[in-house]
Amino acid sequence: MPIDVIVAGHIALDILPDLSSLQPEQVVAAGRVHEIGPISYSTGGAVSNTGLALHRLGINVGLQALVGDDWVGRAIIDYVRSFDPTLGDHIQIVSNKASPYTIVIEPHNHDRTLLTHTGVYNDYSLEDINLDQVSGCQLFHLGYPTLLPRLFSADGANLRKALRAVKEFGVVTSIDMSLPPPDSPSGRANWRAILGRCLPLIDVFMPSIEEIMFMLRPDDLARWGDCLLDSLNADYLARLADELLSMGAGIAGFKLGERGLFLRGADDRSRLAFLSSIGQTADDWVGLQTWHPAFQVDVAGTTGAGDAAYAGLLAALIRGLKPEACARMACAVAACNIEAADATTGVRSWEATEARIAAGWDTH
């Protein structure tokens, strides 16, 4: 069976201690001992979070990733194979390298903090992408170039090289980001220059609002701080999306957490010609703007919610849904995701998600 979507890039082992009994200040208090709940783990990163969500949504997906030859790498592969034995077939084991991992710190009623080690991904480049497998798929999704130093260095020269190699096969391209730590090499990179160089080769680009504002509107991000989501309006989001479209993206959007998801299509019909290869009609997307609210759920954890939203969007695109329905499915998959503490097990099948929407699922 041909693979519909290749998800490549970053994967990690997510270690999730249950900190729901603690307030944020207790987590950082020195010299104290606190009893907490049991620890759980799952795989994280875009290859896992978006890839496994696509698998649960019924999309035939191939996972391309790297791990080291250590127990963390073995745990990552075993976890992925627990969903389907074939999903670990294209995860490469690199000798004498450490596997990536992330410790998820999520105290009671507070957004998470991620402590991450990139490990083997310090050297990730085009040579780590299986182009033979890519050549037969419909869509290529690359996760977290912000954690792949060789790709974002030199103003994204190697990222552009990788995207150009993929586009030579006529494959639709999509990229997801992570929020760079300000004092890291990624945080100090010139992301405006990187995006300017690479967006003409990125068909679908849907970062979180925090990520893109860090890259293009850092002053606004600093000024609004914790009030960011309350400070946004449709005009601001449209202008920000238009900036990405003017830099070359075909479809631009933002994951907005509890405020849902915003999508905007290019005004140039020729830039949207790629949609025909996945059964979409460019006319539906030309100049399109839609903002779908988040669905109401009881939140167990927000880990992987943005990746799940992206999976919902890509699955809907592959299945030929109209733009508004694509945004709705993205929000629905993200909402299911946050009903579980980890990044994958909350995601339901495509049919179960559709049924939940059809039953009158309330939104914010």
Side-chain angles (χ1 to χ4, degrees), residues 28-59:
V28 297
R32 303 289 182 87
V33 176
H34 300 288
E35 288 196 10
I36 61 175
I39 197 167
S40 60
Y41 78 92
S42 67
T43 48
V47 171
S48 170
N49 298 349
T50 304
L52 293 181
L54 284 165
H55 174 74
R56 293 175 77 94
L57 290 167
I59 301 298

Side-chain angles (χ1 to χ4, degrees), residues 17-350:
D18 180 359
L19 305 178
S20 59
S21 62
L22 300 184
Q23 297 300 319
E25 59 272 12
Q26 292 177 287
V27 176
V28 297
R32 303 289 182 87
V33 176
H34 300 288
E35 288 196 10
I36 61 175
I39 197 167
S40 60
Y41 78 92
S42 67
T43 48
V47 171
S48 170
N49 298 349
T50 304
L52 293 181
L54 284 165
H55 174 74
R56 293 175 77 94
L57 290 167
I59 301 298
N60 190 20
V61 62
L63 309 183
Q64 293 189 12
L66 306 180
V67 297
D69 56 349
D70 51 21
W71 74 267
V72 174
R74 292 191 295 273
I76 289 171
I77 293 174
D78 287 347
Y79 187 87
V80 166
R81 284 181 170 158
S82 70
F83 289 82
D84 186 309
T86 65
L87 289 175
D89 289 353
H90 297 281
I91 298 178
Q92 303 177 54
I93 301 173
V94 183
S95 299
N96 301 315
K97 294 288 186 179
S99 296
Y101 69 90
T102 299
I103 300 175
V104 182
I105 306 297
E106 193 166 13
H108 176 69
N109 200 29
H110 198 271
D111 201 2
R112 68 195 187 280
T113 296
L114 306 180
L115 308 177
T116 190
H117 173 66
T118 56
V120 67
Y121 281 103
N122 283 330
D123 298 319
Y124 186 89
S125 65
L126 171 60
E127 288 70 31
D128 297 305
I129 298 173
N130 183 339
L131 292 176
D132 289 338
Q133 190 182 41
V134 170
S135 66
C137 75
Q138 296 183 61
L139 190 148
F140 175 83
H141 180 72
L142 179 65
Y144 304 174
T146 38
L147 295 178
L148 307 174
R150 284 187 64 186
L151 291 191
F152 68 70
S153 63
D155 288 345
N158 285 324
L159 177 57
R160 180 178 173 83
K161 181 180 177 182
L163 290 167
R164 184 181 293 279
V166 170
K167 288 301 293 181
E168 287 181 358
F169 297 111
V171 173
V172 177
T173 55
S174 165
I175 280 193
D176 198 9
M177 295 293 190
S178 63
L179 185 63
D183 58 350
S184 69
S186 178
R188 294 189 293 270
N190 186 346
W191 284 102
R192 180 174 290 278
I194 295 169
L195 292 176
R197 170 175 278 181
C198 296
L199 277 174
L201 297 168
I202 301 172
D203 297 318
V204 182
F205 185 54
M206 191 178 69
S208 75
I209 189 62
E210 294 87 355
E211 292 157 1
I212 197 59
M213 289 183 67
F214 177 89
M215 295 174 179
L216 298 183
R217 305 280 178 88
D219 292 341
D220 288 348
L221 181 62
R223 182 172 65 253
W224 289 337
D226 292 339
C227 299
L228 170 61
L229 293 181
D230 292 331
S231 303
L232 297 170
N233 58 47
D235 288 341
Y236 186 93
L237 294 173
R239 290 194 302 271
L240 185 54
D242 282 344
E243 186 172 358
L244 296 175
L245 296 173
S246 70
M247 295 168 79
I251 296 171
F254 313 115
K255 294 167 287 189
L256 302 170
E258 65 189 37
R259 297 201 67 190
L261 183 139
F262 182 92
L263 285 178
R264 192 161 171 87
D267 291 327
D268 182 359
R269 182 176 278 97
S270 64
R271 179 61 184 91
L272 297 169
F274 68 88
L275 288 168
S276 63
S277 67
I278 55 172
Q280 289 278 343
T281 302
D283 287 347
D284 290 335
W285 288 88
V286 173
L288 176 280
Q289 177 174 307
T290 185
W291 186 353
H292 195 282
F295 288 96
Q296 293 187 14
V297 292
D298 293 327
V299 178
T302 57
T303 301
D307 298 304
Y310 223 135
L313 174 69
L314 298 181
L317 282 170
I318 291 290
R319 289 175 179 268
L321 270 63
K322 299 290 186 180
E324 292 81 4
C326 287
R328 181 167 60 248
M329 182 57 71
C331 289
V333 177
C336 291
N337 166 274
I338 64 177
E339 291 180 308
D342 63 60
T344 52
T345 59
V347 177
R348 306 183 182 195
S349 70
W350 179 269

